[in-house]
């Protein structure tokens, strides 16, 4: 009989029932082959394509996300992940032969990937479909039973996901529960074999504490202030256009969005002009046109609106200059795409991850200054470099640390399933996408098969005479 801890006893009965159902199924799932796992993922793909308009409607309901952004940032990444898994899963699942030292002559050594068991995926609100379904694809591919919790801040998308997953997966293989922070807290009391969380560092620490209590695996995809560095050799016009695109996508509510820009003093005015021009071409020349455009979404809730608009107001009050944008409308949670100049590292907007449509621009004279500032800001989820000088690029790669880096563009590393995606330090623990995702939701089990001939008996006790000499001789082989 399993002993129930005091912590587990606090879990509501319905959540415990969902967990127990998944737990009862996990060993059967562990025995499934690539054909069975891919069949479920193929059904997921088919229903997603069939219901893509419903998904777009749900995301528009939640925070006015443009349909084109739904395709590019919610559906396309999932399709890329599915295609990559479909192509490679059979190879990933095969036991992998590895070498062995001479002392293990007569043996065969292998690495067997096995499912972790029952895993929890806690998804955020900013990309509520993509950032739940992409890790789900990896978890299913690895053979796990999965419990998903979408964010309560995007109820339309949560309802869509609940119906989609019910129609694809048996309830004892993949389950979804809805609710607020209290449901999340209850889920953290359950003994999952792996916890996967995307969100902020504060809740990330809570998830890591829960994983530690259960001695479980953990993947944390967090955020941070991802800087852009534009040096004196950069193609400024191209940099400006790409930065504006990456920054104001999803109204800046992107964990890998360019948070702020460091620009060499010699290119500052050209960059500011380029940023203003790109912003007006993308979203409209006037404030009225930008507020009316269907191509720009809104802040997710009133709390986010107040926080980001407050950052802008306090930063401007301390001397920053609005180059473009600056408009707000509380009733519709609209904050204009805004470029701020004359920003200092001490400005309010530099004190936390912005997660909204404000782009502060800071000037620098020496790359030493930028390196110092980037290091002081911790290890960001992403770092972007615009430069035509390879020595500058290599210096920034070796003298800073970041979850990922893109040179002469932004955010593209997130859509390459061949690359691991994850943070480092306060921006995250672990990685996923492609094979990295399969490994995140798998345990690599070491297996040694002993043949007829074995040398281990030469080292059996009593440790005198020949056994002692052989032990010393074996050690000398590797001195």
């Amino acid at each position: 009989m399993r002993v129930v801890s005091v912590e587990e006893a606090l879990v509501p009965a319905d959540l415990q029932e969902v967990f127990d159902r998944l737990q009862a199924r996990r060993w059967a799932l562990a025995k499934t082959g690539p054909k069975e796992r891919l069949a479920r993922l193929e059904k997921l793909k088919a229903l997603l394509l069939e219901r893509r308009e419903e998904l777009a409607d749900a995301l528009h309901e939640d925070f006015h996300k443009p349909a084109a952004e739904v395709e590019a940032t919610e559906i396309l990444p999932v399709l890329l992940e599915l295609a990559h898994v479909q192509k490679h899963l059979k190879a990933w699942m095969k036991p992998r032969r590895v070498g062995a030292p001479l002392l293990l002559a007569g043996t065969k050594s292998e690495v067997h990937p096995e499912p972790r068991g029952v895993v929890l995926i806690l998804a955020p609100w900013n990309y509520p479909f993509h950032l739940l379904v992409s890790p789900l694809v990896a978890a299913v591919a690895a053979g796990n039973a999965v419990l998903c919790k979408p964010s309560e801040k995007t109820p339309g998308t949560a309802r869509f996901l609940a119906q989609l997953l019910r129609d694809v997966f048996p309830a004892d293989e993949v389950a979804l529960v809805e609710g607020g922070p209290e449901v999340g807290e209850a889920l953290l009391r359950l003994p999952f074999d792996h916890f996967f969380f995307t969100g902020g560092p504060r809740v990330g620490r809570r998830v890591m504490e829960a994983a530690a209590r259960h001695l479980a695996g953990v993947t944390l995809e967090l955020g941070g202030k991802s800087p852009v560095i534009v040096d004196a050799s950069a193609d400024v016009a191209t940099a400006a256009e790409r930065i504006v695109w990456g920054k104001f996508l999803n109204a800046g509510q992107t964990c890998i969005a360019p948070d702020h820009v460091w620009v060499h003093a010699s290119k500052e005015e050209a960059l500011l002009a380029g940023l203003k021009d790109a912003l007006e071409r993308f979203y409209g020349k006037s404030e009225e046109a930008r507020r009316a455009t269907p191509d720009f979404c809104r802040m997710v809730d009133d709390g986010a609106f107040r926080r980001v608009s407050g950052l802008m107001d306090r930063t401007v009050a301390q001397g920053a200059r609005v180059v473009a944008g600056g408009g707000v409308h509380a009733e519709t949670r609209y904050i204009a795409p805004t470029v701020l100049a004359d920003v200092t590292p001490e400005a309010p907007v530099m004190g936390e991850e912005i997660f909204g449509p404000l782009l502060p621009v800071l000037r620098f004279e020496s790359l030493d200054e930028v390196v110092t500032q980037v290091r002081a800001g911790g290890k960001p989820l992403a770092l972007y470099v615009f430069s035509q000088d390879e020595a500058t690029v290599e210096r920034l790669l070796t003298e800073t640390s970041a979850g990922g880096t893109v040179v002469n563009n932004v955010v593209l590393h997130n859509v390459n399933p061949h690359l691991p995606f994850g943070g480092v330090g306060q921006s995250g623990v672990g990685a996923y996408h492609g094979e990295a995702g399969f490994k995140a939701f798998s345990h690599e089990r070491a297996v040694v098969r002993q043949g007829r001939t074995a040398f281990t008996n030469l080292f059996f006790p009593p440790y005198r005479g020949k056994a002692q000499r052989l032990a010393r001789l074996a050690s000398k082989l590797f001195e």
Side-chain angles (χ1 to χ4, degrees):
M1 183 177 72
R2 188 171 73 90
V3 176
V4 178
S5 69
V6 173
E7 184 175 67
E8 285 181 73
L10 298 174
V11 176
D14 56 341
L15 293 183
Q16 185 68 56
E17 182 182 350
V18 171
F19 179 85
D20 290 344
R21 191 164 58 235
L22 295 168
Q23 185 78 281
R25 179 66 175 158
R26 60 91 76 216
W27 291 110
L29 287 173
K31 294 191 288 186
T32 57
K35 184 177 179 180
E36 295 162 280
R37 298 178 191 181
L38 289 173
R40 285 166 171 70
L41 296 177
E42 185 59 36
K43 186 176 181 182
L44 173 64
K45 176 182 176 180
L47 285 186
L48 167 59
L49 296 177
E50 182 182 305
R51 301 177 186 179
R52 69 200 316 164
E53 302 301 331
E54 295 175 41
L55 175 59
D57 290 343
L59 282 157
H60 190 269
E61 172 192 334
D62 285 334
F63 56 117
H64 288 249
K65 187 157 186 167
E69 288 191 8
V70 173
E71 285 290 335
T73 65
E74 301 278 4
I75 296 175
L76 177 59
V78 170
L79 294 178
L80 287 169
E81 190 72 15
L82 284 165
H84 193 72
V85 169
Q86 185 176 33
K87 183 177 181 180
H88 296 286
L89 180 59
K90 188 175 180 180
W92 296 341
M93 288 181 65
K94 286 180 178 178
R96 186 175 78 252
R97 285 285 302 273
V98 296
L102 181 61
L103 289 173
L104 295 183
T107 67
K108 293 180 180 179
S109 295
E110 301 168 338
V111 177
H112 286 232
E114 63 182 26
R116 290 189 178 271
V118 184
V119 303
L120 175 66
I121 296 175
L122 297 170
W125 55 263
N126 58 326
Y127 291 91
F129 181 80
H130 167 200
L131 294 181
L132 186 146
V133 177
S134 282
L136 173 62
V137 168
V140 170
N144 297 278
V146 190
L147 198 157
C148 306
K149 182 193 174 299
S151 172
E152 71 279 6
K153 293 188 177 185
T154 48
T157 308
R159 288 193 301 271
F160 173 87
L161 280 162
Q163 187 61 57
L164 179 73
L165 298 188
R166 276 197 300 270
D167 292 344
V168 173
F169 299 101
D172 59 354
E173 295 185 9
V174 174
L176 181 144
V177 297
E178 298 182 61
E182 71 287 349
V183 173
E185 285 294 329
L187 290 173
L188 295 183
R189 299 186 188 110
L190 289 166
F192 289 96
D193 298 292
H194 192 81
F195 293 77
F196 187 104
F197 170 76
T198 303
R202 181 182 63 82
V203 179
R205 291 186 181 93
R206 293 280 299 112
V207 175
M208 199 164 191
E209 289 168 2
R213 286 196 302 273
H214 301 301
L215 297 179
V218 62
T219 304
L220 303 178
E221 298 299 334
L222 308 177
K225 293 184 72 63
S226 297
V228 182
I229 300 165
V230 181
D231 80 353
S233 71
D235 179 341
V236 172
T238 299
E241 190 171 63
R242 293 172 181 173
I243 292 167
V244 166
W245 167 67
K247 175 64 182 184
F248 299 118
L249 189 72
N250 213 43
Q253 298 167 115
T254 303
C255 57
I256 54 171
D259 183 89
H260 55 283
V261 179
W262 286 95
V263 59
H264 191 270
S266 66
K267 293 296 181 75
E268 181 184 19
E269 289 308 314
L271 180 68
L272 291 172
L275 293 170
K276 183 173 186 293
D277 175 69
L279 186 152
E280 291 179 350
R281 283 189 289 112
F282 290 178
Y283 302 112
K285 288 189 174 296
S286 67
E287 180 56 35
E288 293 75 18
R290 289 191 284 270
R291 200 163 118 187
T293 181
D295 298 326
F296 186 75
C297 73
R298 301 299 185 255
M299 303 305 293
V300 71
D301 60 19
D302 292 338
F305 172 85
R306 289 192 296 269
R307 184 186 65 80
V308 176
S309 60
L311 283 177
M312 178 170 63
D313 291 344
R314 295 196 302 277
T315 299
V316 171
Q318 291 190 17
R321 171 167 54 98
V322 176
V323 174
V328 299
H329 188 252
E331 187 176 336
T332 58
R333 304 194 305 272
Y334 168 79
I335 299 176
T338 300
V339 177
L340 300 171
D342 302 328
V343 178
T344 66
E346 296 73 34
V349 77
M350 294 299 293
E352 61 185 84
E353 184 180 6
I354 299 168
F355 227 66
L358 310 179
L359 182 64
V361 178
L362 303 90
R363 73 179 68 88
F364 72 91
E365 297 282 354
S366 165
L367 199 61
D368 292 340
E369 177 187 356
V370 179
V371 169
T372 299
Q373 291 291 342
V374 170
R375 289 175 178 173
K379 299 174 182 180
L381 188 53
L383 183 144
Y384 304 116
V385 181
F386 286 86
S387 175
Q388 302 301 318
D389 180 5
E390 191 59 29
T392 294
V393 173
E394 287 303 314
R395 181 182 175 190
L396 290 169
L397 288 173
T398 56
E399 296 188 15
T400 66
S401 180
T405 294
V406 181
V407 178
N408 291 321
N409 214 323
V410 297
V411 310
L412 297 185
H413 61 302
N414 184 46
V415 294
N416 183 352
H418 295 273
L419 288 173
F421 177 80
V424 56
Q426 61 265 49
S427 62
V429 175
Y432 72 121
H433 288 188
E435 187 174 13
F438 178 81
K439 288 184 174 181
F441 287 103
S442 300
H443 166 63
E444 292 193 319
R445 184 175 188 163
V447 176
V448 176
R449 301 180 188 274
Q450 179 67 63
R452 290 182 179 276
T453 301
F455 295 127
T456 48
N457 60 307
L458 297 176
F459 297 91
F460 291 170
Y463 299 123
R464 292 184 295 275
K466 184 171 61 175
Q468 186 173 6
R469 290 194 300 274
L470 283 171
R472 176 62 61 87
L473 177 62
S475 296
K476 283 184 173 295
L477 292 175
F478 301 97
E479 288 181 0

